Amino acid sequence: MQSGLLRAVRLGRFGRVPFAAAIVTGALAGAALGAGPYVISQKDREFKPAEISIKRGEALRFINDDGELLHHAYLSSDTFSFDSGDQQPGSKFDVTFSVPGDYTVLCGIHPKMKLAVHVAK
């Protein structure tokens, strides 16, 4: 089955300018739909990157890619908190930051691990 855009192109329904606009619009929509969470690696007993700035409503994906080590990411503040629980090697955990502010994410297993998260409005 052909998509509507492909069928319209084959039938010659787009001139040069509208077709180019359709491609750009489709690419932008695809980029927006394909945008996933920002990846935070937990490797070498560190959060990488160690600091990140995001907008309210955006998500971070914590990936334990630290060999055989467990991790346990958490944040506890008056305005926002989460707890990943123990993360097995290779596991992933997503968290959406819904409240603007400056936060420090910690690892309950490795106290030196810290991630600064700046959430803008």
Side-chain angles (χ1 to χ4, degrees):
M1 179 167 219
Q2 297 177 16
S3 73
L5 179 59
L6 182 58
R7 188 173 33 248
V9 169
R10 287 192 176 159
L11 295 175
R13 292 189 182 161
F14 289 109
R16 282 192 168 137
V17 174
F19 180 65
I23 289 174
V24 171
T25 301
L28 293 175
L33 292 174
Y38 295 92
V39 173
I40 303 297
S41 172
Q42 297 170 98
K43 189 168 180 136
D44 300 325
R45 297 182 186 172
E46 295 179 355
F47 289 112
K48 296 178 183 180
E51 184 173 352
I52 190 165
S53 295
I54 62 175
K55 294 179 185 172
R56 181 177 53 126
E58 291 184 318
L60 299 182
R61 173 168 289 162
F62 293 87
I63 300 176
N64 181 355
D65 50 357
D66 207 355
E68 299 296 316
L69 296 177
L70 288 176
H71 285 291
H72 187 128
Y74 74 95
L75 165 63
S76 181
S77 77
D78 292 338
T79 57
F80 184 75
S81 57
F82 73 87
D83 190 319
S84 71
D86 286 348
Q87 289 181 268
Q88 297 294 322
S91 67
K92 300 173 185 173
F93 174 77
D94 290 358
V95 60
T96 300
F97 283 77
S98 57
V99 180
D102 293 321
Y103 302 101
T104 301
V105 177
L106 303 170
C107 178
I109 298 171
H110 306 101
K112 292 183 180 181
M113 288 179 65
K114 295 181 181 176
L115 167 65
V117 181
H118 309 285
V119 183
K121 294 180 182 180

